[in-house]
């Protein structure tokens, strides 16, 4: 499985104007048969007072007999973080794409948001570059569109939805409180925090690699001079970043 880096998806406006064939008819890309999408038509997000940046999983499965390259696009690239936004799947291989809604997105704005998954048959399982995508003929690319639905819930709505009466005056919320069990909502918040932290680590790693690359020409920077190697510096920096986060998280 070859995946691209975590990045914001390409906007749908970047597709360019629709193709017009003979007789003035608009040519559409072929419907999706290379990949099975789950969900297949709608991405549902739920915002709560504790979860301001919910995420949704889009599962892609290669149901084709050959390797299939894919990429995920959206009409609102500033409102989502998609990880990964592109990649290549071998036959019968599947992948879960994490789509994270950014805090600035609101319910009114999201009514018109759309996602587009494009797929094309490829010979190898290597990552397909943007330039290579541009070379594929429109007839070879399949696509499937998904709409977006956002639900914003207040704290009292969540409590009513999670509490179920068992006929004896008790409910699930009370029983969890008595047993000390952690509510699912808190686990979801921690999961979202870990996802955001992982993305921050990747960003920090790229920055460190860029700084190191710019210093490769400096005198005495070679690993054979008894100094630290590039891998050592990256590991120390990431370890320090991780320890600072854990200290804050545990406190």
């Amino acid at each position: 499985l070859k995946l691209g880096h975590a990045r914001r998806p390409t906007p749908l406006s970047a597709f360019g104007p629709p193709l017009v064939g003979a007789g003035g008819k608009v040519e559409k890309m072929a419907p999706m048969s290379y990949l099975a999408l789950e969900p297949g038509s709608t991405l549902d997000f739920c915002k709560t007072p504790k979860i301001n940046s919910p995420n949704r999983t889009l599962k892609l499965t290669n149901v084709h007999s050959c390797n299939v390259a894919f990429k995920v696009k959206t009409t609102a690239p500033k409102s989502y973080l998609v990880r990964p936004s592109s990649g290549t799947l071998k036959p019968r291989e599947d992948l879960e794409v994490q789509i994270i809604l950014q805090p600035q997105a609101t319910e009114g704005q999201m009514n018109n948001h759309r996602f587009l998954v494009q797929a094309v048959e490829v010979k190898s399982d290597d990552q397909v570059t943007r330039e290579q995508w541009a070379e594929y003929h429109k007839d070879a690319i399949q696509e499937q569109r998904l709409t977006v639905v956002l639900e914003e819930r207040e704290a009292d709505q969540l409590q009513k939805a999670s509490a179920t009466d068992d006929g004896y005056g008790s409910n699930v919320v009370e029983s969890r409180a008595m047993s000390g069990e952690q509510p699912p909502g808190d686990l979801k918040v921690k999961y979202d925090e870990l996802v955001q932290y992982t993305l921050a680590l990747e960003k920090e790693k790229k920055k460190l690699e860029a700084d190191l690359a710019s210093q490769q020409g400096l005198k005495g920077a070679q690993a054979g001079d008894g100094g630290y190697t590039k891998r050592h510096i990256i590991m120390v920096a990431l370890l320090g970043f991780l320890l600072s986060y854990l200290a804050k998280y545990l406190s």
Side-chain angles (χ1 to χ4, degrees):
L1 172 63
K2 302 292 184 180
L3 303 178
H5 296 294
R7 62 183 182 183
R8 298 193 183 278
T10 307
L12 292 181
S13 57
F15 291 178
L19 295 179
V20 179
K25 294 183 178 180
V26 177
E27 297 181 359
K28 296 182 179 180
M29 293 185 184
M32 183 66 70
S33 64
Y34 293 158
L35 300 177
L37 277 60
E38 183 181 348
S41 59
T42 304
L43 292 171
D44 297 297
F45 294 88
C46 181
K47 269 190 175 183
T48 69
K50 289 186 177 181
I51 305 176
N52 194 34
S53 183
N55 68 82
R56 190 73 166 86
T57 298
L58 174 62
K59 184 177 180 181
L60 306 178
T61 303
N62 182 0
V63 294
H64 191 43
S65 58
C66 300
N67 296 322
V68 173
F70 73 88
K71 61 179 176 179
V72 181
K73 298 183 177 183
T74 180
T75 56
K78 293 184 179 180
S79 298
Y80 303 92
L81 190 62
V82 179
R83 182 175 180 266
S85 62
S86 63
T88 303
L89 294 173
K90 298 178 181 178
R92 301 301 173 185
E93 189 175 19
D94 60 67
L95 169 72
E96 290 188 348
V97 177
Q98 296 294 328
I99 303 176
I100 304 173
L101 177 66
Q102 299 303 288
Q104 68 269 18
T106 62
E107 186 172 6
Q109 296 173 341
M110 292 182 61
N111 290 335
N112 296 323
H113 289 183
R114 300 289 185 274
F115 274 84
L116 179 73
V117 178
Q118 291 185 314
V120 65
E121 179 181 327
V122 293
K123 294 182 179 179
S124 70
D125 59 352
D126 294 334
Q127 175 74 16
V128 177
T129 64
R130 181 178 300 180
E131 292 74 17
Q132 290 173 325
W133 271 102
E135 294 175 358
Y136 290 117
H137 193 273
K138 297 296 183 180
D139 293 339
I141 301 177
Q142 297 185 356
E143 64 180 23
Q144 185 165 332
R145 299 176 185 271
L146 299 97
T147 58
V148 175
V149 174
L150 173 64
E151 181 181 3
E152 298 191 51
R153 293 187 180 182
E154 300 297 334
D156 55 345
Q157 293 176 321
L158 290 174
Q159 186 174 3
K160 290 178 182 179
S162 60
T164 57
D165 191 356
D166 61 2
Y168 294 92
S170 62
N171 56 56
V172 174
V173 174
E174 292 175 347
S175 63
R176 284 202 180 108
M178 294 177 64
S179 63
E181 181 181 351
Q182 196 171 28
D186 294 340
L187 295 176
K188 180 69 173 176
V189 172
K190 291 185 177 181
Y191 173 77
D192 291 339
E193 290 177 352
L194 289 175
V195 171
Q196 296 286 358
Y197 175 63
T198 301
L199 297 175
L201 273 179
E202 292 184 356
K203 183 177 181 181
E204 184 70 16
K205 179 183 176 183
K206 292 179 181 178
K207 181 180 179 182
L208 288 171
E209 290 178 341
D211 293 341
L212 287 171
S214 64
Q215 297 177 10
Q216 284 182 351
L218 296 178
K219 226 173 176 182
Q222 297 180 355
D225 294 339
Y228 292 106
T229 64
K230 176 181 177 181
R231 178 178 295 180
H232 288 153
I233 298 176
I234 293 178
M235 289 178 63
V236 171
L238 290 178
L239 181 60
F241 193 59
L242 177 61
L243 290 176
S244 64
Y245 175 82
L246 289 177
K248 179 181 178 182
Y249 184 78
L250 294 176
S251 62

